[in-house]
Amino acid sequence: MRVHVLGAAAGGGFPQWNCNCPNCDGLRKGTLRATARTQSSIAVSGEGTDWVLFNASPDILAQIRAFPALQPARALRDTGIKSVVLMDGQIDHTTGLLMLREGKPLELYCTDMVREDMTTGNPLFNILGHYCGVNWHRLPIEAGNRFDVVGGQHLEFTSVALKSKAPPYSPHRDNPHEGDNVGMRIRDTRTGRSVFYAPGLGEIEPHLKPYLEQADCVMVDGTFWTDDEMVQLGISKKRARDIGHLPQSGPGGMIEVLRALPAKRKILIHINNTNPILDEDSPQRAELARAGIEVAFDGMDIEI
Protein backbone atom coordinates (compact mmCIF):
# COMPACT_ATOMS: atom_id res chain seq x y z
CA MET A 1 0.00 0.00 0.00
CA ARG A 2 1.18 3.46 -0.86
CA VAL A 3 0.11 6.65 0.94
CA HIS A 4 0.97 9.97 -0.68
CA VAL A 5 0.62 13.23 1.27
CA LEU A 6 -0.92 15.80 -1.05
CA GLY A 7 -1.16 18.48 1.62
CA ALA A 8 0.04 18.54 5.23
CA ALA A 9 -1.18 21.87 6.59
CA ALA A 10 -4.30 22.81 8.50
CA GLY A 11 -6.90 25.21 7.09
CA GLY A 12 -5.32 28.22 5.40
CA GLY A 13 -2.11 26.38 4.51
CA PHE A 14 1.41 27.52 5.35
CA PRO A 15 2.11 30.35 5.04
CA GLN A 16 -1.46 31.49 5.53
CA TRP A 17 -2.34 34.27 3.12
CA ASN A 18 -3.28 36.84 5.79
CA CYS A 19 -1.06 35.74 8.67
CA ASN A 20 2.08 37.47 9.92
CA CYS A 21 2.87 35.13 12.81
CA PRO A 22 6.58 34.32 13.35
CA ASN A 23 6.31 31.18 11.21
CA CYS A 24 4.55 32.78 8.22
CA ASP A 25 6.65 35.93 8.36
CA GLY A 26 9.87 33.92 8.69
CA LEU A 27 9.04 31.68 5.74
CA ARG A 28 8.23 34.65 3.49
CA LYS A 29 11.44 36.46 4.45
CA GLY A 30 13.59 33.35 4.18
CA THR A 31 14.74 33.60 7.81
CA LEU A 32 13.02 30.37 8.86
CA ARG A 33 14.16 26.91 7.77
CA ALA A 34 10.76 25.51 6.85
CA THR A 35 8.76 24.25 3.88
CA ALA A 36 5.49 25.64 2.55
CA ARG A 37 2.52 23.31 2.82
CA THR A 38 -0.94 23.14 1.24
CA GLN A 39 -4.11 22.17 3.08
CA SER A 40 -4.34 18.59 4.29
CA SER A 41 -5.25 15.66 2.08
CA ILE A 42 -3.80 12.24 1.29
CA ALA A 43 -4.18 9.77 -1.58
CA VAL A 44 -3.99 6.01 -1.03
CA SER A 45 -3.46 3.19 -3.54
CA GLY A 46 -3.21 -0.56 -3.25
CA GLU A 47 -1.63 -1.07 -6.68
CA GLY A 48 -0.20 2.30 -7.72
CA THR A 49 -2.61 3.20 -10.54
CA ASP A 50 -6.02 3.81 -8.99
CA TRP A 51 -6.16 6.20 -6.04
CA VAL A 52 -8.59 6.98 -3.22
CA LEU A 53 -8.56 10.65 -2.26
CA PHE A 54 -9.08 11.47 1.42
CA ASN A 55 -10.58 14.95 1.69
CA ALA A 56 -10.62 17.47 -1.14
CA SER A 57 -8.86 20.63 -0.04
CA PRO A 58 -9.13 24.05 -1.72
CA ASP A 59 -5.59 23.38 -2.98
CA ILE A 60 -6.55 20.21 -4.88
CA LEU A 61 -5.60 21.51 -8.35
CA ALA A 62 -2.08 22.44 -7.23
CA GLN A 63 -1.81 19.08 -5.46
CA ILE A 64 -2.80 17.20 -8.62
CA ARG A 65 -0.26 19.17 -10.65
CA ALA A 66 2.42 18.16 -8.14
CA PHE A 67 1.54 14.44 -8.25
CA PRO A 68 1.56 12.89 -11.76
CA ALA A 69 -0.19 9.70 -10.61
CA LEU A 70 -3.46 11.67 -10.33
CA GLN A 71 -3.12 13.35 -13.72
CA PRO A 72 -4.76 12.16 -16.97
CA ALA A 73 -2.80 9.33 -18.59
CA ARG A 74 -5.21 6.73 -20.00
CA ALA A 75 -7.78 8.73 -21.98
CA LEU A 76 -8.60 12.19 -23.33
CA ARG A 77 -10.42 13.08 -20.10
CA ASP A 78 -9.08 11.05 -17.19
CA THR A 79 -7.74 11.00 -13.63
CA GLY A 80 -6.12 8.54 -11.26
CA ILE A 81 -8.67 9.57 -8.60
CA LYS A 82 -11.32 6.86 -8.48
CA SER A 83 -13.17 7.92 -5.35
CA VAL A 84 -13.21 10.54 -2.60
CA VAL A 85 -13.59 9.89 1.14
CA LEU A 86 -14.56 12.80 3.39
CA MET A 87 -13.37 12.52 6.99
CA ASP A 88 -15.61 15.42 8.02
CA GLY A 89 -17.54 18.29 6.46
CA GLN A 90 -15.09 21.10 7.25
CA ILE A 91 -14.68 23.69 4.51
CA ASP A 92 -10.92 23.07 4.14
CA HIS A 93 -11.66 19.37 3.47
CA THR A 94 -14.56 19.75 1.04
CA THR A 95 -14.18 22.91 -1.07
CA GLY A 96 -11.90 21.10 -3.52
CA LEU A 97 -14.85 19.00 -4.67
CA LEU A 98 -15.93 21.99 -6.76
CA MET A 99 -12.64 21.82 -8.64
CA LEU A 100 -13.45 18.25 -9.74
CA ARG A 101 -16.76 19.21 -11.36
CA GLU A 102 -15.66 18.69 -15.00
CA GLY A 103 -15.33 14.92 -14.69
CA LYS A 104 -17.57 11.91 -14.28
CA PRO A 105 -19.91 11.59 -11.27
CA LEU A 106 -17.84 11.53 -8.10
CA GLU A 107 -17.80 8.27 -6.16
CA LEU A 108 -18.04 9.94 -2.78
CA TYR A 109 -17.98 8.35 0.68
CA CYS A 110 -19.06 10.18 3.83
CA THR A 111 -21.22 9.65 6.91
CA ASP A 112 -24.90 10.49 7.15
CA MET A 113 -24.02 13.56 9.23
CA VAL A 114 -21.53 14.90 6.67
CA ARG A 115 -24.00 14.27 3.84
CA GLU A 116 -26.60 16.26 5.78
CA ASP A 117 -24.19 19.18 6.09
CA MET A 118 -23.23 18.94 2.41
CA THR A 119 -26.86 19.19 1.34
CA THR A 120 -28.05 21.86 3.82
CA GLY A 121 -25.67 24.29 5.55
CA ASN A 122 -23.05 23.98 2.79
CA PRO A 123 -24.91 22.38 -0.13
CA LEU A 124 -21.93 21.35 -2.26
CA PHE A 125 -23.57 18.06 -3.24
CA ASN A 126 -26.58 19.97 -4.59
CA ILE A 127 -24.31 22.30 -6.59
CA LEU A 128 -22.31 19.37 -8.00
CA GLY A 129 -25.60 17.83 -9.12
CA HIS A 130 -25.69 20.51 -11.82
CA TYR A 131 -22.22 19.52 -13.04
CA CYS A 132 -20.61 16.08 -12.64
CA GLY A 133 -23.01 14.74 -10.01
CA VAL A 134 -22.31 12.69 -6.89
CA ASN A 135 -22.70 8.94 -6.34
CA TRP A 136 -22.98 8.93 -2.55
CA HIS A 137 -21.84 5.91 -0.56
CA ARG A 138 -22.70 5.81 3.14
CA LEU A 139 -19.63 5.68 5.35
CA PRO A 140 -20.50 3.29 8.20
CA ILE A 141 -19.54 4.09 11.79
CA GLU A 142 -20.98 1.00 13.48
CA ALA A 143 -18.45 -0.93 15.56
CA GLY A 144 -16.44 -3.46 13.58
CA ASN A 145 -17.46 -2.19 10.15
CA ARG A 146 -15.35 -3.16 7.16
CA PHE A 147 -16.01 -1.99 3.64
CA ASP A 148 -14.55 -1.60 0.15
CA VAL A 149 -14.04 1.64 -1.74
CA VAL A 150 -14.14 2.15 -5.51
CA GLY A 151 -10.52 2.16 -6.71
CA GLY A 152 -9.19 0.67 -3.48
CA GLN A 153 -8.01 -2.66 -4.85
CA HIS A 154 -6.36 -4.89 -2.21
CA LEU A 155 -7.46 -2.49 0.53
CA GLU A 156 -9.96 -2.87 3.37
CA PHE A 157 -11.41 0.18 5.12
CA THR A 158 -12.77 0.61 8.64
CA SER A 159 -14.10 3.96 9.84
CA VAL A 160 -14.43 4.97 13.46
CA ALA A 161 -16.34 7.91 14.92
CA LEU A 162 -14.30 10.62 16.66
CA LYS A 163 -15.54 13.12 19.21
CA SER A 164 -15.73 16.46 17.46
CA LYS A 165 -17.85 19.45 16.51
CA ALA A 166 -19.67 19.80 13.23
CA PRO A 167 -18.63 22.69 10.93
CA PRO A 168 -19.83 26.22 11.77
CA TYR A 169 -22.44 26.06 9.00
CA SER A 170 -23.89 22.74 10.19
CA PRO A 171 -27.52 22.70 11.38
CA HIS A 172 -26.25 20.87 14.50
CA ARG A 173 -23.05 22.84 15.13
CA ASP A 174 -23.71 23.02 18.89
CA ASN A 175 -25.19 19.53 19.13
CA PRO A 176 -22.43 17.06 18.14
CA HIS A 177 -23.45 13.78 16.51
CA GLU A 178 -21.55 10.58 15.86
CA GLY A 179 -20.21 10.81 12.34
CA ASP A 180 -19.34 14.52 12.32
CA ASN A 181 -15.69 13.43 12.19
CA VAL A 182 -14.10 10.02 11.64
CA GLY A 183 -10.77 8.27 11.71
CA MET A 184 -9.92 5.53 9.22
CA ARG A 185 -8.00 2.27 9.33
CA ILE A 186 -6.78 1.26 5.87
CA ARG A 187 -5.52 -2.31 5.73
CA ASP A 188 -3.61 -4.02 2.91
CA THR A 189 -5.32 -7.39 2.54
CA ARG A 190 -2.18 -8.96 1.01
CA THR A 191 0.23 -8.08 3.82
CA GLY A 192 -2.08 -7.39 6.75
CA ARG A 193 -0.29 -4.09 7.39
CA SER A 194 -2.36 -0.97 8.10
CA VAL A 195 -2.36 2.78 8.57
CA PHE A 196 -4.65 4.66 10.94
CA TYR A 197 -5.47 8.13 9.61
CA ALA A 198 -7.13 10.77 11.81
CA PRO A 199 -6.30 14.39 10.90
CA GLY A 200 -8.96 15.70 13.30
CA LEU A 201 -8.20 13.71 16.45
CA GLY A 202 -9.23 15.75 19.49
CA GLU A 203 -9.36 13.10 22.20
CA ILE A 204 -8.03 9.58 22.75
CA GLU A 205 -11.33 7.84 23.43
CA PRO A 206 -11.22 4.25 24.77
CA HIS A 207 -12.59 2.72 21.55
CA LEU A 208 -9.68 4.21 19.54
CA LYS A 209 -6.91 2.40 21.39
CA PRO A 210 -7.03 -0.86 19.35
CA TYR A 211 -6.81 1.11 16.10
CA LEU A 212 -3.82 3.09 17.34
CA GLU A 213 -2.05 0.12 18.93
CA GLN A 214 -2.46 -2.25 15.97
CA ALA A 215 -1.47 0.14 13.16
CA ASP A 216 1.91 -0.11 11.43
CA CYS A 217 1.70 3.59 10.63
CA VAL A 218 -0.23 6.25 12.55
CA MET A 219 -1.04 9.59 10.86
CA VAL A 220 -2.79 11.87 13.31
CA ASP A 221 -3.69 15.44 14.18
CA GLY A 222 -0.67 17.74 14.37
CA THR A 223 -2.55 21.03 14.46
CA PHE A 224 -1.19 22.70 17.60
CA TRP A 225 1.84 22.34 19.85
CA THR A 226 0.17 23.78 22.96
CA ASP A 227 -3.44 24.06 24.03
CA ASP A 228 -3.19 27.87 24.24
CA GLU A 229 -1.09 28.44 21.11
CA MET A 230 -3.58 30.71 19.36
CA VAL A 231 -4.41 32.53 22.60
CA GLN A 232 -0.76 33.33 23.34
CA LEU A 233 -0.27 34.74 19.84
CA GLY A 234 -3.37 36.90 20.20
CA ILE A 235 -5.02 35.26 17.19
CA SER A 236 -7.97 33.63 18.94
CA LYS A 237 -9.58 33.25 22.34
CA LYS A 238 -10.20 29.55 21.72
CA ARG A 239 -7.89 26.79 22.87
CA ALA A 240 -6.89 23.77 20.79
CA ARG A 241 -9.21 21.42 22.66
CA ASP A 242 -12.09 23.90 22.30
CA ILE A 243 -12.01 23.42 18.54
CA GLY A 244 -11.41 19.66 18.55
CA HIS A 245 -7.63 19.26 18.41
CA LEU A 246 -5.36 17.44 20.85
CA PRO A 247 -2.13 19.47 21.30
CA GLN A 248 1.20 17.70 21.02
CA SER A 249 2.80 18.88 24.27
CA GLY A 250 1.80 18.59 27.91
CA PRO A 251 0.25 15.79 29.98
CA GLY A 252 -2.00 13.60 27.87
CA GLY A 253 -0.84 15.33 24.70
CA MET A 254 -0.16 13.68 21.36
CA ILE A 255 3.55 13.12 22.05
CA GLU A 256 2.73 11.16 25.18
CA VAL A 257 0.17 9.09 23.26
CA LEU A 258 2.45 8.37 20.30
CA ARG A 259 5.47 7.45 22.44
CA ALA A 260 3.52 4.51 23.87
CA LEU A 261 2.51 3.07 20.48
CA PRO A 262 4.41 0.22 18.76
CA ALA A 263 3.85 1.62 15.23
CA LYS A 264 6.96 1.76 13.06
CA ARG A 265 6.00 5.20 11.77
CA LYS A 266 4.27 7.96 13.70
CA ILE A 267 3.42 11.01 11.63
CA LEU A 268 1.76 14.33 12.44
CA ILE A 269 -0.41 15.87 9.71
CA HIS A 270 -2.85 18.81 9.51
CA ILE A 271 -0.29 21.23 10.98
CA ASN A 272 -1.42 24.77 11.74
CA ASN A 273 0.69 27.66 10.44
CA THR A 274 1.35 28.80 14.04
CA ASN A 275 2.82 25.47 15.20
CA PRO A 276 6.54 25.81 16.06
CA ILE A 277 7.25 22.29 14.72
CA LEU A 278 7.19 23.83 11.23
CA ASP A 279 10.50 25.47 12.11
CA GLU A 280 12.99 22.69 11.41
CA ASP A 281 15.53 24.23 13.81
CA SER A 282 13.10 24.65 16.71
CA PRO A 283 13.46 22.81 20.04
CA GLN A 284 9.93 21.49 19.52
CA ARG A 285 10.97 19.84 16.27
CA ALA A 286 14.00 18.33 18.03
CA GLU A 287 11.72 16.94 20.74
CA LEU A 288 9.61 15.20 18.12
CA ALA A 289 12.72 13.70 16.53
CA ARG A 290 13.85 12.30 19.87
CA ALA A 291 10.43 10.72 20.28
CA GLY A 292 10.59 9.15 16.81
CA ILE A 293 7.71 11.28 15.51
CA GLU A 294 7.74 12.61 11.93
CA VAL A 295 6.19 15.80 10.55
CA ALA A 296 4.29 15.34 7.30
CA PHE A 297 5.11 17.50 4.28
CA ASP A 298 3.60 17.89 0.83
CA GLY A 299 4.89 15.10 -1.42
CA MET A 300 5.73 12.72 1.42
CA ASP A 301 5.47 9.12 0.16
CA ILE A 302 4.84 6.25 2.57
CA GLU A 303 5.05 2.55 1.74
CA ILE A 304 3.19 0.33 4.20
Side-chain angles (χ1 to χ4, degrees):
M1 169 171 45
R2 183 179 171 194
V3 178
H4 186 84
V5 176
L6 296 169
F14 174 60
Q16 184 171 303
W17 68 277
N18 67 338
C19 185
N20 202 35
C21 72
N23 281 348
C24 292
D25 183 51
L27 185 67
R28 291 191 189 99
K29 290 179 177 176
T31 59
L32 188 81
R33 195 163 70 92
T35 303
R37 288 164 167 83
T38 58
Q39 294 168 92
S40 75
S41 176
I42 65 170
V44 180
S45 179
E47 39 67 73
T49 302
D50 294 343
W51 293 82
V52 179
L53 178 67
F54 281 81
N55 294 330
S57 92
D59 299 314
I60 185 64
L61 294 185
Q63 293 168 347
I64 290 173
R65 284 194 293 270
F67 188 42
L70 302 186
Q71 297 169 11
R74 295 151 291 263
L76 183 61
R77 291 290 179 93
D78 177 57
T79 176
I81 299 171
K82 298 304 176 186
S83 59
V84 182
V85 177
L86 298 180
M87 307 295 283
D88 54 49
Q90 299 292 341
I91 196 166
D92 52 311
H93 287 161
T94 58
T95 309
L97 293 172
L98 293 173
M99 301 300 104
L100 305 178
R101 67 188 182 275
E102 293 90 356
K104 297 176 181 178
L106 297 173
E107 302 293 341
L108 201 146
Y109 295 74
C110 68
T111 64
D112 292 317
M113 289 299 100
V114 172
R115 181 173 184 264
E116 178 184 304
D117 291 342
M118 294 292 100
T119 53
T120 55
N122 183 20
L124 290 184
F125 289 7
N126 302 345
I127 295 170
L128 289 167
H130 296 282
Y131 296 91
C132 59
V134 170
N135 291 332
W136 175 62
H137 304 263
R138 180 180 178 271
L139 200 65
I141 53 173
E142 296 80 14
N145 70 80
R146 296 180 181 180
F147 59 97
D148 298 325
V149 170
V150 173
Q153 291 88 339
H154 309 299
L155 302 177
E156 174 189 88
F157 300 79
T158 302
S159 55
V160 54
L162 305 178
K163 187 177 290 186
S164 183
K165 277 189 173 183
Y169 48 76
S170 171
H172 62 274
R173 165 67 169 177
D174 298 315
N175 179 23
H177 287 57
E178 274 199 342
D180 287 335
N181 181 21
V182 300
M184 188 73 63
R185 178 171 65 193
I186 310 162
R187 178 178 173 271
D188 189 315
T189 58
R190 297 160 297 184
T191 65
R193 291 193 287 270
S194 67
V195 58
F196 182 69
Y197 178 59
L201 183 56
E203 183 179 326
I204 307 300
E205 302 169 78
H207 69 277
L208 297 181
K209 290 185 178 179
Y211 295 95
L212 292 166
E213 292 171 352
Q214 295 168 16
D216 297 278
C217 175
V218 176
M219 299 183 72
V220 290
D221 193 329
T223 310
F224 298 113
W225 180 256
T226 61
D227 193 40
D228 64 349
E229 188 172 304
M230 301 278 275
V231 177
Q232 289 297 319
L233 286 169
I235 294 173
S236 173
K237 295 181 179 179
K238 293 183 178 180
R239 293 175 173 265
R241 288 181 172 89
D242 294 337
I243 54 177
H245 298 287
L246 182 66
Q248 280 105 65
S249 62
M254 195 67 80
I255 294 175
E256 184 177 294
V257 172
L258 293 178
R259 272 199 182 111
L261 298 179
K264 293 179 180 178
R265 299 192 69 174
K266 306 166 188 181
I267 303 169
L268 297 175
I269 193 167
H270 193 272
I271 303 153
N272 200 58
N273 62 286
T274 57
N275 194 326
I277 66 174
L278 290 168
D279 179 354
E280 296 174 21
D281 296 320
S282 67
Q284 293 87 353
R285 188 63 170 266
E287 184 175 345
L288 290 181
R290 289 192 297 271
I293 299 170
E294 302 173 65
V295 179
F297 55 89
D298 291 22
M300 186 181 202
D301 235 12
I302 304 157
E303 293 282 348
I304 300 168

